[in-house]
Amino acid sequence: AWRLLSVGVTNLSVDTGREPTVWHHDSWLDEAAPFVTFDATSLKKKKFAKYVVETQTGDKKGAGTDANVFLTLFGADGSVTDVLPLENARDNFRKGKNDVFHVEAVDVGSIQKIRLAHDGAAPDAAWHCASLAVTNCAYDTGMKFVFKLNKWFDKTKPPGLISQVFTYGDDSGYEDDTEDDLLSSEDGTVAEKVVLPETGFAKDEKAENFASSPSLKPVSVEHEVQAIEAKLASTKNDPEEDEKAPSPRRDTVPVPVPV
């Protein structure tokens, strides 16, 4: 079985530089219907448009991919483009990188949804796409459709798919994890994010509990020094302290012992 979307024919002897003649079928060819015939009465010559596609690869560890990435556009009127390869440089889809592609395809008008996928044909095929934007240049003002994705395209990471469909305006599946509680370092280790309190007891709950404890009080070093100096000054002329002081040491003279 084979699902045939469309057939395009260009007569190079007379149609050089012209758009191909396209018949749209969008149906299955199988044992029940092994072939289809197209003629002038079924001809539906579609208008073509230029699109600007912008992809933003995430900045997560391992977000970049060397796989081949493809995009399909679906219009609100039911029209659909062919599968469009996104490739114009060797360093496409690197971690944290924004890539811009110029493609030409059937004009689908207002974009209702997209299918984004890669073929997994690379050792490092996993890809994290933060967002994708498509501008239909067939109109003077241009129509730009932005898809917030934040999704992995990998069989080993949720949702476990390398081909996914996204509907324009539906961000229900979008998860903003820019404030994730877990931080991954470059060596692959994971550490819990620690938020350090600001200096000062009044802004730290634990410090406030410490300061309010009857047995544990914050100590001022300057205050302690003053207290010690005052104590030394008060005991300097205290007669009681003088009585407790040991007598001055006197040298003793040995007494001769008669033999």
Side-chain angles (χ1 to χ4, degrees):
W2 174 40
R3 187 173 185 85
L4 174 62
L5 180 63
S6 63
V7 175
V9 179
T10 301
N11 187 339
L12 297 179
S13 62
V14 296
D15 291 341
T16 303
R18 299 183 182 179
E19 296 178 355
T21 301
V22 179
W23 286 269
H24 289 266
H25 187 55
D26 195 15
S27 188
W28 289 96
L29 297 180
D30 51 24
E31 294 182 356
F35 64 90
V36 60
T37 302
F38 299 104
D39 54 33
T41 59
S42 62
L43 177 62
K44 292 183 180 179
K45 192 169 183 177
K46 284 286 186 177
K47 174 185 173 184
F48 274 62
K50 293 182 179 180
Y51 299 91
V52 178
V53 180
E54 303 170 70
T55 60
Q56 178 66 52
T57 298
D59 59 1
K60 297 176 178 290
K61 181 178 176 62
T65 185
D66 291 324
N68 299 305
V69 177
F70 304 92
L71 175 68
T72 306
L73 306 176
F74 299 83
D77 61 355
S79 57
V80 58
T81 67
D82 293 331
V83 177
L84 307 172
L86 302 180
E87 182 179 8
N88 57 18
R90 294 176 61 87
D91 63 344
N92 290 146
F93 312 114
R94 292 293 181 257
K95 175 183 175 182
K97 188 171 181 288
N98 179 266
D99 294 293
V100 180
F101 306 91
H102 298 267
V103 297
E104 188 172 359
V106 171
D107 182 10
V108 299
S110 180
I111 298 174
Q112 182 184 46
K113 60 184 179 180
I114 62 171
R115 177 184 289 115
L116 188 60
H118 68 69
D119 59 3
D124 299 321
W127 181 41
H128 182 270
C129 184
S131 64
L132 182 143
V134 184
T135 301
N136 187 337
C137 302
Y139 304 88
D140 293 338
T141 57
M143 293 192 297
K144 188 170 185 177
F145 302 84
V146 179
F147 295 81
K148 296 168 62 177
L149 306 181
N150 195 23
K151 294 292 185 182
W152 280 102
F153 291 76
D154 183 52
K155 293 181 179 179
T156 64
K157 295 181 175 67
L161 302 170
I162 62 174
S163 176
Q164 301 180 55
V165 175
F166 304 96
T167 301
Y168 178 67
D170 181 10
D171 297 333
S172 59
Y174 175 79
E175 298 177 0
D176 185 356
D177 58 2
T178 55
E179 295 297 330
D180 198 348
D181 288 335
L182 296 180
L183 302 177
S184 297
S185 63
E186 289 297 328
D187 60 1
T189 59
V190 177
E192 185 175 354
K193 182 187 291 184
V194 178
V195 179
L196 298 178
E198 296 182 12
T199 305
F201 286 137
K203 295 183 180 181
D204 182 29
E205 183 179 354
K206 293 183 179 179
E208 286 179 346
N209 294 336
F210 173 85
S212 62
S213 172
S215 59
L216 297 174
K217 293 287 185 180
V219 178
S220 169
V221 176
E222 183 180 356
H223 175 75
E224 283 296 300
V225 171
Q226 292 175 354
I228 293 173
E229 290 177 347
K231 185 174 182 181
L232 290 175
S234 64
T235 58
K236 193 171 184 180
N237 300 319
D238 190 346
E240 293 184 1
E241 293 294 335
D242 291 342
E243 292 179 2
K244 295 178 183 178
S247 301
R249 183 178 180 275
R250 297 178 182 178
D251 294 334
T252 57
V253 178
V255 178
V257 178
V259 178

